[in-house]
Amino acid sequence: MTDSHQKSLFADEVPWEAADQSDRWSAEIVFDLPVDQSFHYLVPDALREQLQAGQRVRVPFGQGNRRIVGFCVATGPPPSLSKRMKWVEAIVDLAPLVTPGMLQLTRWIGEHYLCSWGTVLHAVVPAGVKKNAGTRMARVYFLGDSDRLAADVASLTKKQEAVLDVIKNAKQPPTQGQILEAVGCGPSPVKTLERRKLIASKLVRTSTSRYDSPVAAQVTDLELNQDQKDAVTAICQVLESRKHETILLHGVTGSGKTEVYIQAIREVISYGRQAIVLVPEISLTPQTIRRFRSRFDTVAVLHSHLSDAERHWHWQQIAAGRVSVVVGARSAVFAPTPHLGLIVIDEEHETSFKQETTPRYHAREVARQRCELEQVPLVLGSATPTLESWQRVQDGEDQLVSMPRRVVGLPLPPVVLVDIRNDPRIGKGAAIGRALDHAIRQAIEDDGQVILFLNLRGFSPVFWCRACGESVTCPNCDVTLTWHRDKAAAMCHSCEYTCDPPSQCPACGDAGIRHVGVGTQRLEAEVKARYPEWNCLRMDSDSMRGRGSHDEALEKFRSGEVQILLGTQMIAKGLDFPNVTLVGVIAADTMLHQPDMRASERTFQLIAQVAGRTGRSERGGRVLVQTAMPAEPSIQFAAKHDYIGFTTQELSQRRAIRVPPYRRLARVIVRGPVEPDVVAQITAMAAVLRDHSQRLGIDNDVMILGPAPAPLTRLKTFYRYHLQISAETPEAIRTLWRNALPDFLDAKDIEFTIDVDPLNMR
């Protein structure tokens, strides 16, 4: 259902009572619906003292008065409107789930990313928190009327006195069971004291389990080199100023950025404040987690593998101020820290910080806004910062701190580009060419270890017909099927469609179907066949599904049990193994073939990051990059470790074609099961947007690009078309969209969404 269709359904949902409202109280409610407005409900007197902003309420909604749950975002006297108001029926939560500051932040997200406030609130509060996972209701006791207690103390029995002592000395209000166990009595003394109002009780929600973090052996801080000291000093100066500033920490791989984060966080904790550290999900390795837990006593780790009960328990501990450091992926930016002092985003260039479903926020921009609201520093760390972050430094909006040298003076590893176009082994279908084969043997014979990087999983990424030249695609998507030999199946990596491998071409019926290309499974098979005397381990999303599988795999590599580690992006960053003396990039140019303006930037980042996995000890190391496009500038600059040279050239090209970071972009995607209907809908939307840009007088600034078929035109049985809105400022895009939205026509079975500052252009 589209935004406009939902809006027309509920446009009359704000009825009000015409009678005297001087003694009435109302609540402003937002819902998890694509409706860009809030609604007001009267609050019964019995709930007036209990209801606070940040709690959820159950209310009647719509013409049929169906009951739904929404977030209360404000309370106060009702506005003066004419129609009959509806009433809040119940409060769902005992206490607010979000603070006033988080309400302010989520409202900004809704406005900036053009989605409803209620949808944002629903997304940022974890499901386990909303359903109180791992908790139960319990009655707790505390001291009652102090005057009555002083007057009646002489008439108490010994057991009643003991009950009072337990309650008085407890750190937290105890339950009846805890009191009875401590005193060794039945419930009668408790009931008598409560009846005489010497004690009182209330219902609270308590955890049924504890999920304490594993205790790690504490280690002392490392000695910093001069670059690291300068970086920590810069961060601490902003901390002491109690003002917000964003610091871009540009440090080459192995320069010791994590140690800078740790020592800056130690300073934050000394002020009695908390820190949030965001890392890409793939970097939430046991190695990273252990490093923080070995330095700080109370560390909460938030990641996708937590159960609802675990996530709820950690959320409560963070909100109570019992956690000093929160380490997590994208959504940890919403951790309910009451005393926030610093946010750090490591590997800030990672695309996983952008949410790909509504609300389509970028954690970096949300962190920037949160830090500005709370007047604390934001530190962005990367060896290959995004061009957007780099341009902000050039414009003087953010502060740059450089760490151009590796710790203890180790040099960056030399990178050798290997042109595989004339390599006979590659021509026969092998993944490892002659030069890389020789380098692997030499590295391991010298007691080193090897990392091989390939960003394609499966055995072969293409089924190809020799007769007609067609590839075999998914019946639901415009995606070629990938051969997974371990499952004896052909799979679509977009919709998870699975079938038996085709024995003949669906297009021409010929039986000459071949598996073309190399994925991580095929690379693993080749490595095991070519080097049977050495142990090999594959790390990708297919092989690392089990709980603890990452930790087990990396420990085998660390201990030397495994000599060759191969895999996808999960091994490209964040790993520190001093014995790795060779990194091989199997196919450096796979990303360059994508229809994406950021293809060159991502290619440079990947090569630079994976190259940083070697040369981290006095043993040194080197990198071999296999490519069929050795003259490509992004590959050339990566081989030279020349970030400045790459950004200078790339920014010049971006400026010439007027794309980010010099323009702001929003992408509108329309999808539906019938292609002509999708085309008609997006064509009409483009016309409405162009018409409104002229009416608003912003047509000289705003450009409507398209519509056109999306690069991935068919996905999960839906046809997809898109258009782009380009403007100098995000305000222009927001103004145009909000004005045009009511005029979009409804179309049956057609859905549309808008992605502000998109990263995924497929």
Side-chain angles (χ1 to χ4, degrees), residues 395-667:
D395 293 340
E397 298 177 56
D398 295 345
Q399 177 184 349
L400 175 65
V401 175
S402 294
M403 296 170 60
R405 291 170 289 273
R406 283 187 157 186
V407 292
V408 301
L410 294 171
L412 288 167
V415 178
V416 178
L417 299 182
V418 179
D419 188 344
I420 58 173
R421 287 174 293 184
N422 297 316
D423 190 309
R425 289 186 179 179
I426 301 296
K428 293 177 181 178
I432 299 172
R434 291 182 300 181
L436 184 55
D437 174 48
H438 177 73
I440 290 172
R441 294 183 184 278
Q442 182 179 352
I444 299 180
E445 287 170 358
D446 291 341
D447 294 325
Q449 290 174 292
V450 175
I451 289 179
L452 300 178
F453 171 75
L454 176 62
N455 209 28
L456 291 170
R457 61 189 178 96
F459 192 85
S460 294
V462 177
F463 286 93
W464 177 70
C465 176
R466 290 181 295 181
C468 68
E470 291 291 321
S471 59
V472 180
T473 60
C474 171
N476 303 320
C477 314
D478 289 337
V479 176
T480 57
L481 293 177
T482 297
W483 167 231
H484 284 251
R485 192 172 70 171
D486 59 339
K487 299 176 182 177
M491 296 181 61
C492 173
H493 288 170
S494 292
C495 72
E496 302 302 323
Y497 169 82
T498 303
C499 66
D500 292 332
S503 58
Q504 60 184 34
C505 176
C508 69
D510 191 89
I513 294 289
R514 293 185 59 190
H515 308 144
V516 179
V518 177
T520 50
Q521 291 181 13
R522 184 169 179 175
L523 175 60
E524 178 186 29
E526 182 175 333
V527 168
K528 288 182 175 179
R530 185 169 290 183
Y531 316 111
E533 67 273 32
W534 298 318
N535 291 327
C536 165
L537 182 65
R538 170 170 58 94
M539 290 188 68
D540 56 23
S541 57
D542 295 318
S543 62
M544 297 288 111
R545 293 184 181 274
R547 192 179 181 94
S549 55
H550 289 78
D551 197 7
E552 182 181 347
L554 293 176
E555 188 55 40
K556 287 181 179 179
F557 192 60
R558 181 193 307 280
S559 67
E561 181 182 342
V562 170
Q563 289 77 45
I564 302 175
L565 178 68
L566 65 92
T568 54
Q569 285 193 65
M570 65 176 59
I571 66 167
K573 53 187 68 68
L575 303 182
D576 187 356
F577 297 110
N579 201 42
V580 173
T581 57
L582 175 68
V583 166
V585 180
I586 300 302
D589 37 55
T590 54
M591 300 188 75
L592 289 172
H593 305 300
Q594 297 180 2
D596 190 337
M597 66 179 177
R598 293 184 174 87
S600 292
E601 181 181 4
R602 290 174 181 165
T603 298
F604 175 88
Q605 289 168 343
L606 262 179
I607 296 174
Q609 291 288 339
V610 75
R613 297 316 104 207
T614 188
R616 288 174 170 255
S617 71
E618 293 182 357
R619 299 196 61 183
R622 59 177 178 150
V623 183
L624 263 67
V625 178
Q626 295 188 158
T627 175
M629 304 173 68
E632 176 65 30
S634 59
I635 296 176
Q636 286 282 336
F637 281 118
K640 299 172 185 175
H641 303 288
D642 187 2
Y643 174 79
I644 303 299
F646 170 75
T647 55
T648 300
Q649 174 176 294
E650 187 70 10
L651 284 171
S652 176
Q653 294 179 357
R654 297 271 188 98
R655 186 186 293 109
I657 60 176
R658 304 182 72 191
V659 296
Y662 299 103
R663 300 272 294 184
R664 301 304 291 267
L665 201 64
R667 182 180 183 226

Side-chain angles (χ1 to χ4, degrees), residues 281-290 550 554 570 574-575:
E281 181 77 40
I282 56 176
S283 292
L284 271 173
T285 61
Q287 183 182 35
T288 302
I289 296 168
R290 276 197 299 266
H550 289 78
L554 293 176
M570 65 176 59
L575 303 182

Side-chain angles (χ1 to χ4, degrees), residues 18 29-30 62 113 119 141 189 205 290 308 375 398 442 459 476-477 520 553 583 592 611 631 695 714 717:
I29 312 296
V30 294
Y113 291 100
T119 298
Y141 291 82
R205 189 168 290 279
R290 276 197 299 266
D308 283 345
Q375 288 297 291
D398 295 345
Q442 182 179 352
F459 192 85
N476 303 320
C477 314
T520 50
V583 166
L592 289 172
R695 291 186 193 178
R714 194 159 182 258
T717 73

Side-chain angles (χ1 to χ4, degrees), residues 236-292:
C236 289
Q237 285 175 347
V238 181
L239 283 170
E240 291 167 2
S241 73
R242 296 186 176 273
K243 294 180 180 178
H244 164 66
E245 188 168 348
T246 298
I247 296 173
L248 178 61
L249 185 60
H250 176 215
V252 298
T253 56
S255 59
K257 294 185 291 294
T258 304
E259 190 65 28
V260 171
Y261 306 151
I262 287 172
Q263 298 204 22
I265 290 169
R266 196 172 297 288
E267 186 75 10
V268 169
I269 294 173
S270 72
Y271 298 158
R273 312 195 77 176
Q274 299 162 288
I276 297 174
V277 181
L278 302 185
V279 297
E281 181 77 40
I282 56 176
S283 292
L284 271 173
T285 61
Q287 183 182 35
T288 302
I289 296 168
R290 276 197 299 266
R291 191 164 184 181
F292 279 95

